[in-house]
Amino acid sequence: ATLLLGSLISSHVAAEFERLSGANLKNICASYIDIPSSTPDGMCIGYVTGVMSVMEYINVLCIPVNATHSQATLVVQKYLSEHPERLHLNAEGLVIDALQAAFPCASMLDE
């Protein structure tokens, strides 16, 4: 029963994140400045950090070693503000686009 409940909760949470649009993420991140001070701020940096970590793990992003999670979150927040025409798209993809634009991989620049 515990396993079933855990899997139902996990799948519900995953489904919620799958539906997160750029507009939703922009609203969540609206007050984020540099250090999380509220639940939405924590959700904002947590979402960005989660996407960034997975993309780094599978070698899709080349974030500099000295880049902070706060810096990455500010990059995403700025990208969302500058691209209102894309806010209907999936938030995960927009986070990736923002970070790839800000921190391009050297190998991609050589192509």
Side-chain angles (χ1 to χ4, degrees), residues 31 35 42 84:
S31 65
I35 298 173

Side-chain angles (χ1 to χ4, degrees), residues 1-68:
T2 304
L3 279 174
L4 179 60
L5 180 60
S7 67
L8 288 174
I9 291 171
S10 296
S11 62
H12 177 71
V13 170
E16 289 299 316
F17 280 116
E18 286 177 346
R19 288 189 293 242
L20 190 65
S21 70
N24 297 134
L25 184 60
K26 185 176 186 289
N27 288 336
I28 291 169
C29 295
S31 65
Y32 186 85
I33 296 174
D34 195 15
I35 298 173
S37 59
S38 68
T39 299
D41 290 345
M43 290 173 61
C44 176
I45 194 170
Y47 189 87
V48 171
T49 300
V51 172
M52 182 174 74
S53 295
V54 170
M55 295 300 110
E56 283 183 303
Y57 181 76
I58 62 172
N59 296 316
V60 175
L61 291 177
C62 301
I63 305 293
V65 174
N66 59 346
T68 65

